[in-house]
Amino acid sequence: MEVVAVDIGGTHARFAIAEVSGGRVTALGEPVTLKTAEHASLQTAWEAFADKAGRPLPRAAAIAVASPIGGDIIKLTNNPWIIRPALVNERLGVDAYILVNDFGAVGHATAQLPEAMFSHLCGPDMALPPTGPITVCGPGTGLGVAQILRSSRDYHVIETEGGHTDFAPLDELEDAMLKRLRRHYTRVSVERIVAGPGIIAIYETLAEIEGRAVQRLDDKAIWTMALEGTDSLALAALDRFCLSLGAVAGDLALAQGAKGVVIAGGLGLRLKDHLTRSGFAERFVAKGRFREMMQAIPVKLITHPQPGLFGAAASFAQGHPDG
């Protein structure tokens, strides 16, 4: 059967028509990306996608949202849209739908995608374990975290808000980053550092340490300078970002008892070449008495261009195995 897959983040809403059968995704159509700031609601974005599709949409929807799922109203974490689950059928004109956390969707993608869709980052160069827990995390507008529990017959995705755990500095520079953020936030979560906008705090902290005038740049400008290598301070901020991401990914693996770790998120894919040349791997395993255990965990990067859309469809497929 066909289903409209939707992946709603803080900045973009992505749509595609997927085909599902036997509990799996069998095909994913060409994605359409819309800016959330240019649409008043999910319904108006859905209508815009229908216009672009130029055909009647399937009467089934798989919707991944950057927010916890539950309650009468879903308010997206980094997006002003709200979703009322009780009205989804009526507003979107569908007979069946499923709502899943955006990184829950990435968890479903991780569970269903072939090994060729993963790139090795560190640890043993081996496939993800066929059974046991796998941690999935990744930076984007926020920091998404989920867990997969695989058995010999099936898998379960556990949606979490692990990106909002407390940031734990590991050296004097990170102490300074935390101090700077505490001027604005009583509690500093890891998402304030290890997400796209977090590069601002890192960049400004480094400038302050060096006695430079702090330029008020947005995160897009800093990331551009860093990834293009046109600014040495931005490059230093990128290196520090990768260190912190390694530490956080290792902490999550410890907390979840992971036998494998997958880095995802739009920013994670952009960092593909840099992560393997940064201090990510060393920070990941630097867990004191548990270093040897951490060294045995394969860490992968998901390389599918639309894991949120694929995963939303996979979530629907798992819930409708006869579809």
Side-chain angles (χ1 to χ4, degrees):
M1 68 178 292
E2 288 188 328
V3 57
V4 179
V6 188
D7 179 21
I8 308 170
T11 307
H12 297 102
R14 297 175 174 86
F15 295 80
I17 296 175
E19 295 179 16
V20 300
S21 178
R24 313 288 294 188
V25 179
T26 57
L28 183 68
E30 189 68 25
V32 171
T33 300
L34 305 176
K35 291 184 178 180
T36 56
E38 295 177 356
H39 298 275
S41 66
L42 169 59
Q43 182 180 3
T44 63
W46 178 278
E47 292 167 353
F49 171 65
D51 288 341
K52 290 179 180 294
R55 52 157 287 188
L57 295 183
R59 295 188 62 84
I63 306 168
V65 296
S67 172
I69 303 299
D72 295 331
I73 297 177
I74 296 173
K75 170 68 177 70
L76 277 75
T77 306
N78 295 300
N79 176 336
W81 290 1
I82 61 172
I83 297 173
R84 294 180 174 87
L87 299 179
V88 168
N89 294 86
E90 174 188 341
R91 296 285 175 87
L92 303 187
V94 296
D95 301 318
Y97 75 91
I98 190 167
L99 284 166
V100 60
N101 170 267
D102 60 339
F103 253 73
V106 176
H108 282 278
T110 298
Q112 291 204 17
L113 284 169
E115 183 62 23
M117 286 288 105
F118 299 89
S119 175
H120 179 70
L121 285 181
C122 63
D125 191 356
M126 57 188 286
L128 292 168
T131 60
I134 298 171
T135 292
V136 184
C137 65
T141 305
L143 177 67
V145 180
Q147 184 184 39
I148 306 165
L149 183 59
R150 278 176 160 170
S151 69
S152 58
R153 295 184 177 181
D154 203 355
Y155 72 89
H156 300 278
V157 174
I158 302 164
E159 301 174 359
T160 86
E161 291 300 325
H164 299 283
T165 55
D166 295 331
F167 174 66
L170 297 174
D171 58 25
E172 292 182 358
L173 199 153
E174 290 179 354
D175 287 338
M177 288 157 50
L178 180 60
K179 183 178 179 181
R180 184 176 186 85
L181 283 164
R182 276 196 178 141
R183 298 174 193 171
H184 307 285
Y185 310 104
T186 302
R187 175 181 176 271
V188 178
S189 67
V190 293
E191 185 176 85
R192 300 293 184 190
I193 301 290
V194 189
I199 198 76
I200 298 173
I202 302 174
Y203 184 83
E204 292 181 352
T205 300
L206 295 177
E208 194 173 74
I209 288 172
E210 291 199 351
R212 302 190 190 190
V214 177
Q215 297 184 62
R216 301 300 179 183
L217 301 173
D218 63 19
D219 56 300
K220 182 178 180 180
I222 298 171
W223 279 115
T224 298
M225 293 188 302
L227 294 171
E228 292 181 354
T230 58
D231 182 273
S232 58
L233 199 65
L235 271 173
L238 171 57
D239 289 338
R240 178 57 54 168
F241 183 94
C242 291
L243 286 171
S244 295
L245 179 58
V248 170
D251 286 345
L252 292 167
L254 275 177
Q256 296 185 353
K259 304 301 181 185
V261 171
V262 171
I263 304 298
L267 184 54
L269 187 56
R270 291 177 67 194
L271 293 176
K272 177 182 177 182
D273 294 331
H274 199 86
L275 285 173
T276 56
R277 297 182 285 111
S278 71
F280 173 92
E282 176 54 32
R283 274 289 189 89
F284 180 83
V285 301
K287 303 301 176 186
R289 292 167 291 171
F290 294 93
R291 184 183 184 90
E292 185 175 347
M293 184 182 80
M294 300 301 292
Q295 290 174 328
I297 298 175
V299 182
K300 306 285 186 178
L301 178 71
I302 191 167
T303 58
H304 190 283
Q306 297 292 343
L309 285 175
F310 186 97
S315 175
F316 187 94
Q318 189 191 49
H320 299 78
D322 297 327

